[in-house]
Each structure stands twice: as structure tokens, then as C-alpha cells.
């Protein structure tokens, strides 16, 4: 799936989950009310791609992180939203747990324990 088609899919999902029409989303994101519906429709269909500022405003209105729009994997997209909605303390705990579980981190810890100590 191309990055643009991922954006289209995520935008539509978030808009529908928020219960907003294309027009109301566009207006809330600062798009002129006379073209708001058409512009959001074109973003969702992939006919046009919003600039980063517009994408950021759409994300803010939909209460999702900008990264959500670009996550190709559905599980990762849900995790991004969950992470952003958590407290800073919970985010830190989750990040530490994820980083500790990475295979590279485990291998590095094993190498460190096995290496001879220097005196």
C-alpha cells in the first residue's frame, strides 16, 4: 500500500470514528467552507495530498497524532493512538517495555553479561 493510500484510509477512518462529515472536518481544520467538503473528499480519494500543515490540522481536529495517518500496519496505527492518549508516565513505561523487549536489546544485554570484566 502506498503512503498516499494509507493516508486516505486513515483519514476516512478517523473522520468516521469522530462522526464528522467531510465538510465539517474541513471547516474545523481551517479549510474555506465553500470548498471544505470537496477538498476532504479529494484527500480521502487520493486525488490530492494535503500539505503537512493541513494534515496536522486535520489530525488535531480528529484528535489523532499525525503519525497515525502514515502507519501502514493497522495494529501500529491503533498503538499510536493509544500511546498518544496515555499519560506521560504510562507512555514512558510502555516505551521502556517495548525497547527492552526488542531482540537487539536482548542480544546487547547478553553480550554485555558474557564479556570479560576489565580490571
Amino acid at each position: 500500500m502506498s503512503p498516499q493510500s494509507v493516508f486516505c484510509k486513515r483519514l476516512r477512518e478517523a473522520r468516521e470514528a469522530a462522526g464528522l462529515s467531510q465538510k465539517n472536518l474541513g471547516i474545523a481544520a481551517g479549510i474555506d467552507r465553500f470548498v471544505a467538503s470537496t477538498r476532504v473528499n479529494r484527500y480521502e480519494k487520493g486525488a490530492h495530498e494535503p500539505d503537512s500543515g493541513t494534515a496536522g490540522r486535520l489530525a488535531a481536529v480528529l484528535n489523532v497524532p499525525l503519525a497515525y495517518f502514515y502507519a501502514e500496519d493497522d495494529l501500529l496505527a491503533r498503538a499510536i493512538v493509544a500511546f498518544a492518549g496515555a499519560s506521560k508516565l504510562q507512555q514512558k513505561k510502555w516505551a521502556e517495555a517495548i525497547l527492552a523487549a526488542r531482540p537487539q536489546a536482548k542480544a546487547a544485554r547478553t553480550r554485555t553479561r558474557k564479556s570479560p570484566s576489565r580490571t
Side-chain angles (χ1 to χ4, degrees):
M1 192 178 293
S2 74
Q4 185 176 5
S5 61
V6 171
F7 181 91
C8 300
K9 175 185 174 185
R10 299 275 177 241
L11 177 60
R12 183 179 182 130
E13 288 173 348
R15 180 184 59 77
E16 289 176 349
L20 291 172
S21 67
Q22 291 174 335
K23 181 176 184 172
N24 288 339
L25 171 58
I27 292 169
I31 298 170
D32 183 275
R33 66 186 180 109
F34 295 108
V35 298
S37 179
T38 302
R39 291 253 314 266
V40 172
N41 180 275
R42 288 180 179 168
Y43 295 153
E44 288 183 2
K45 299 289 185 194
H48 293 289
E49 190 172 345
D51 60 40
S52 61
T54 302
R57 288 190 303 277
L58 291 166
V61 170
L62 294 169
N63 199 31
V64 296
L66 184 58
Y68 167 80
F69 288 145
Y70 301 98
E72 292 181 15
D73 181 82
D74 290 338
L75 181 59
L76 178 59
R78 291 193 341 248
I80 289 169
V81 172
F83 187 85
S87 69
K88 292 296 179 190
L89 178 60
Q90 189 62 54
Q91 287 178 350
K92 182 178 179 190
K93 288 179 182 180
W94 287 347
E96 288 170 351
I98 291 167
L99 293 173
R102 289 181 28 212
Q104 302 92 328
K106 288 180 183 179
R109 286 194 304 271
T110 303
R111 282 193 304 272
T112 302
R113 281 188 237 135
K114 289 182 180 179
S115 64
S117 59
R118 296 181 187 186
T119 54

